[in-house]
Amino acid sequence: MDAKSEVILRHPERIHGQVLLVNPPQDQLCQILDANVSIWTWNFADYQYLKQICANSFFDTQIPQHTFEQIIIFVPKAKELLAYVLEQCVAALGNGKSIYLVGEKKAGIEGSAKLLTAFGKTIKIDSARHCQLWQLNIEKSIHAKPLEQWVKRYTYTLQEQSFNVCALPGVFSQNKLDIGTAQLLPLLKQVKSGELLDFGCGAGIIALVLAKLNPQNRITAADVDAFALQSTTLTFAQNQVSTQLQTIAISNIQDIQQSFDAVVSNPPFHQGIKTNYQASENLCQYAQQRLKPQGELWIVANRFLNYSPLIEQSFGHCQTILDSHGFKVLYARI
């Protein structure tokens, strides 16, 4: 059982009725609680696990349109994402209802709890298992802003061509282009044309550049995060290339059945606040199975991440195209 869930279970008398768990971990909390539990998550890996034990599980960027008596929010990594989620939850519950906020101390639960004060009276209920549990008693009724009003926009210029990026809360590089992707983008003109996969699409800048380079390119953008998929959709719409895009929610490269002419990625290696290399390592090992004959793999990664041997095991070779600013661009071909 996750430590955050254990803290919740120390107070069973508080949890009752129609309860929504927001961003819960992969455990059995929903089965143990003496309540009618629903789940809202934007992590597809969590959703795949939780939907097997909780029928009312939702994978979405917006709160389920149901009536709830209480909501328990498990603190997400990004504070701006928490601000969005909290506003959604307060608007859905209304005045007089309670929201519980639980998170690890090392994840900044005390700072996150300060966001509760804008909506009513807050109480620290518990501090245990290196976690804290806070309660908000809502003292106002609000209307939540539309998701589009939470978008941050910035422009990237490559060879005098401008690319407009739309990024929602919690999405990787929401405020500006990250250094690793900046190393990869100028090389995308070398990528084979055709059916292309952007694995771990984030806000969609890699997919967008691939689409703009050749109007005949068909882009599949894949990510575990619903906010990333929606960001990529908005990015393509902003740049008027939506017809070249399809998005799919995945937890791993093995979830994808389609074959591609090229797989391109700045692969993720974090899951929340924790480091998790599994999805990236699986990409290196299994991308070959998702490539057509003569298909290509392009990866940019921190120099300290030793992906080359994994790619060599699968492809028989791995070429370093670029080594700059602490990042490597790796290439392999069937």
Side-chain angles (χ1 to χ4, degrees):
M1 182 70 67
D2 187 273
K4 299 182 292 294
S5 296
E6 289 179 347
V7 175
I8 297 293
L9 291 173
R10 285 161 58 92
H11 305 274
E13 74 285 353
R14 292 180 175 271
I15 312 303
H16 53 79
Q18 302 285 337
V19 177
L20 177 66
L21 304 183
V22 180
N23 189 40
Q26 293 185 26
D27 62 21
Q28 288 73 48
L29 177 64
C30 63
Q31 293 178 314
I32 299 172
L33 289 174
D34 186 17
N36 190 349
V37 176
S38 298
I39 289 173
W40 172 29
T41 181
W42 43 90
N43 181 294
F44 191 68
D46 292 344
Y47 170 72
Q48 286 183 305
Y49 175 89
L50 293 166
K51 70 177 181 179
Q52 299 179 53
I53 58 176
C54 179
N56 294 323
S57 294
F58 301 89
F59 172 74
D60 207 337
T61 57
Q62 300 188 59
I63 191 169
Q65 297 302 303
H66 295 272
T67 300
F68 301 106
E69 297 172 54
Q70 297 176 324
I71 294 178
I72 303 172
I73 301 174
F74 291 76
V75 175
K77 178 182 178 181
K79 186 168 286 189
E80 187 159 349
L81 178 55
L82 174 59
Y84 166 77
V85 168
L86 184 58
E87 185 179 275
Q88 287 263 312
C89 292
V90 171
L93 280 184
N95 193 11
K97 299 290 183 63
S98 291
I99 290 176
Y100 293 94
L101 186 69
V102 63
E104 299 178 34
K105 293 178 182 178
K106 65 181 180 182
I109 177 62
E110 288 200 15
S112 297
K114 293 178 181 178
L115 296 180
L116 301 175
T117 60
F119 304 102
K121 182 180 179 181
T122 62
I123 308 167
K124 184 193 287 187
I125 300 297
D126 200 355
S127 182
R129 311 286 198 273
H130 304 290
C131 301
Q132 290 181 1
L133 174 65
W134 290 74
Q135 181 181 4
L136 163 66
N137 295 316
I138 302 172
E139 295 178 342
K140 61 171 66 176
S141 296
I142 66 168
H143 294 285
K145 296 191 298 288
L147 181 62
E148 289 72 18
Q149 291 188 21
W150 292 83
V151 174
K152 289 190 176 179
R153 294 176 170 83
Y154 57 90
T155 301
Y156 170 74
T157 303
L158 177 64
Q159 297 176 347
E160 299 183 351
Q161 186 173 9
S162 294
F163 302 86
N164 300 309
V165 181
C166 300
L168 289 164
V171 174
F172 178 65
S173 291
Q174 187 193 10
N175 297 305
K176 62 181 181 179
L177 188 69
D178 66 285
I179 297 173
T181 300
Q183 308 312 304
L184 175 64
L185 292 180
L187 301 174
L188 294 184
K189 59 182 180 293
Q190 302 177 35
V191 174
K192 187 176 182 180
S193 298
E195 298 282 345
L196 309 178
L197 171 66
D198 179 3
F199 178 86
C201 59
I205 181 60
I206 292 174
L208 175 63
V209 172
L210 290 170
K212 285 281 196 176
L213 283 170
N214 185 344
Q216 300 304 311
N217 282 342
R218 307 294 299 178
I219 315 298
T220 297
D223 206 288
V224 71
D225 182 18
F227 288 94
L229 297 173
Q230 184 62 24
S231 295
T232 297
T233 298
L234 293 170
T235 293
F236 269 63
Q238 182 75 30
N239 293 270
Q240 301 180 330
V241 287
S242 296
T243 57
Q244 292 177 252
L245 175 71
Q246 74 164 349
T247 60
I248 55 172
I250 61 165
S251 59
N252 226 316
I253 186 71
Q254 292 100 315
D255 292 343
I256 302 172
Q257 303 303 315
Q258 187 178 347
S259 295
F260 302 92
D261 295 291
V263 174
V264 186
S265 182
N266 181 357
F269 61 94
H270 286 99
Q271 182 67 47
I273 65 169
K274 299 177 182 178
T275 302
N276 188 333
Y277 301 103
Q278 194 60 59
S280 299
E281 292 178 353
N282 285 349
L283 172 65
C284 296
Q285 292 177 294
Y286 299 108
Q288 184 191 34
Q289 300 175 11
R290 299 295 176 264
L291 289 172
K292 298 178 182 180
Q294 309 302 312
E296 301 176 342
L297 173 66
W298 293 78
I299 287 181
V300 61
N302 294 69
R303 186 180 291 148
F304 70 83
L305 296 173
N306 198 20
Y307 291 154
S308 296
L310 297 175
I311 296 173
E312 289 173 356
Q313 290 174 17
S314 180
F315 286 83
H317 68 101
C318 178
Q319 181 179 352
T320 300
I321 301 294
L322 180 73
D323 188 341
S324 177
H325 293 84
F327 289 83
K328 288 184 178 182
V329 176
L330 306 175
Y331 169 82
R333 181 177 177 177
I334 294 179

